[in-house]
Amino acid sequence: MKAICWHGHGDVRYESAPDPKIEDPRDAIIRVTRTAICGSDLHLLDGYMPTMKSGDVLGHEFMGEVMEIGSGVTRLKKGDRVIVPFNIACGECVFCKKTLFSLCDRSNRNAEAAAKMMGYSPSGLFGYSHMLGGFSGGQAEYVRVPYADVGPLKIPDGLTEDQVLFLTDIFPTGYMAAENCQMEKGDTVAVWGCGPVGQFAIQSAWMFGAGRVIAIDHVPERLALAKSWGKAETIDFTRQDVYETLKEMTGGLGPDRCIDAVGAEAHGTGSLDAVIDKAKAAVKLATDRPHALRQAIYCCRKGGTVSVPGVYVGFLDKVPMGAFVNKGLTMKTGQTHTHRYTRPLLEKIQAGAIDPTRLITHRAKLSDAPALYKKFRDKEDGCIKVVMTP
Ligand SMILES: NC(=O)c1ccc[n+]([C@@H]2O[C@H](COP(=O)([O-])OP(=O)(O)OC[C@H]3O[C@@H](n4cnc5c(N)ncnc54)[C@H](O)[C@@H]3O)[C@@H](O)[C@H]2O)c1
Ligand SMILES: [Zn+2]
Ligand SMILES: [Zn+2]
């Protein structure tokens, strides 16, 4: 088959890869009909994620048609049209039973490597390093889906693929980010990052009863989308001082809830912490550049909540724990428990409560992915979300 494979920092290629096969009775093979590039894939492209190997098949946002099922799969049949959550979960372990699917205790085949770094291993992920299971991803013609009775959700007729594709990751991710804010009705929510995750966090903040949403970024078309689609007020961090502006906008108190939808590769604007982050990351003395996280903690009102959907990889420098503790903040984080949200959010799409296709700026063939990875990373050509067809 053809697939998008990782070959090192800045190097992804469209090339031949081994066809997937049923390896376990609970597997299914999916013929991929739609797949997308995620901000998390950029951490791979930029070499931030350890334990990638040359030739690894990328991609964790995908949907398609069931081609083959293992003898243990009863909920799916050949020909079903399904979306597949980006995390792999067994459905039976102590964490899955609590619906903490991204913490599944069984699905990471290389749990020991992850446990060494984090204490305990999270779930396996599609196309996201050997430390997280070494599973081939869905930017490919075909993909093997383990625990196929648990993750894939059948899509009813009458919905297009573009409408439902983002149920695999970024819609649930933005939604969980808003849920993790533990909002009270009328709260002011500040969202750092107006990429795809930030956009869904904005949409979801309203669903949880926000009174105001303030979106922060520097890319004009992303700020414009936050304003037009997201009905958010906006701050361009290259033109305005984020702390001072938020303080002024909130009557001197600071936003009640702060969402970091930026993650490990934040840009600074010449601030000292951002310059040090960049230098340290370049010589591998640090794993992440947490400028947005620091700012969210600093700007949050006393007793507020910091919700972190943004992905961090390892060990962070100069996180203002003093501010965090002394202001009595709460932080909620995590890879999304996607399985928990797919059905309820599908129902929202069906009911017309949200139109996820508003996010798509680029449609292309899978073979165009190498160029589109760079376009998406560099925010060229107005690129906000890329959807591809193998
Ligand atoms: N928790 C999860 O399960 C999960 C799932 C999907 C994505 N993610 C993560 O969410 C994050 C965002 O994903 P995305 O697809 O939207 O990525 P993206 O790269 O398209 O968007 C990030 C945005 O942040 C902006 N930004 C950079 N520095 C900033 C700063 N200092 N202040 C404000 N904005 C800043 C960028 O301009 C960009 O628009 C990534 O870290 C990704 O890995 C997490
Ligand atoms: Zn993702
Ligand atoms: Zn499990």
Side-chain angles (χ1 to χ4, degrees), residues 15 49 82 244 271 275 283 293 304 335 351 382:
E15 61 187 19
M49 188 72 197
V82 293
E244 291 297 341
S271 64
V275 173
V283 295
L293 178 63
Q335 295 279 2

Side-chain angles (χ1 to χ4, degrees), residues 38-41 60-61 86 169-170:
C38 177
S40 299
D41 291 325
H60 59 265
E61 299 181 359
F86 75 94
D169 178 350
I170 52 175

Side-chain angles (χ1 to χ4, degrees), residues 41-117:
D41 291 325
L42 297 180
H43 309 322
L44 306 178
L45 181 71
D46 295 338
Y48 272 78
M49 188 72 197
T51 72
M52 289 295 291
K53 289 185 191 162
S54 198
D56 284 350
V57 176
L58 296 174
H60 59 265
E61 299 181 359
F62 59 91
M63 64 177 297
E65 182 192 342
V66 177
M67 292 296 288
E68 206 183 326
I69 50 171
S71 56
V73 177
T74 53
R75 261 190 54 232
L76 295 179
K77 59 178 193 316
K78 261 190 193 179
D80 282 346
R81 188 170 72 131
V82 293
I83 59 104
V84 181
F86 75 94
N87 13 45
I88 302 168
C90 77
E92 292 158 353
C93 73
V94 55
F95 295 97
C96 286
K97 280 195 181 133
K98 291 181 198 283
T99 75
L100 299 169
F101 296 102
S102 76
L103 306 178
C104 174
D105 226 4
R106 284 199 198 149
S107 61
N108 184 358
R109 301 180 291 192
N110 301 325
E112 271 171 39
K116 214 173 228 174
M117 185 160 164

Side-chain angles (χ1 to χ4, degrees), residues 124-148:
L125 301 183
F126 288 103
Y128 218 74
S129 86
H130 289 266
M131 188 174 78
L132 296 176
F135 294 100
S136 286
Q139 288 166 6
E141 289 180 295
Y142 301 94
V143 59
R144 177 175 80 92
V145 175
Y147 302 113

Side-chain angles (χ1 to χ4, degrees), residues 37-43 60-61 86-87 128 169-170 173 176 191-199 216-219 222 237 242 260-268 291-292 295 308-312 334-338 376 379 384-385:
I37 305 176
C38 177
S40 299
D41 291 325
L42 297 180
H43 309 322
H60 59 265
E61 299 181 359
F86 75 94
N87 13 45
Y128 218 74
D169 178 350
I170 52 175
T173 295
M176 187 168 110
V191 180
W192 274 256
C194 298
V197 169
Q199 300 288 344
I216 305 154
D217 205 303
H218 69 130
V219 183
R222 293 178 177 219
F237 67 79
V242 174
D260 169 6
V262 179
E265 296 187 66
H267 299 280
H291 179 68
Q295 203 168 53
V308 186
V311 161
Y312 290 92
Q335 295 279 2
T336 306
H337 306 302
T338 315
F376 176 53
K379 282 100 188 157
I384 298 178
K385 191 72 185 178

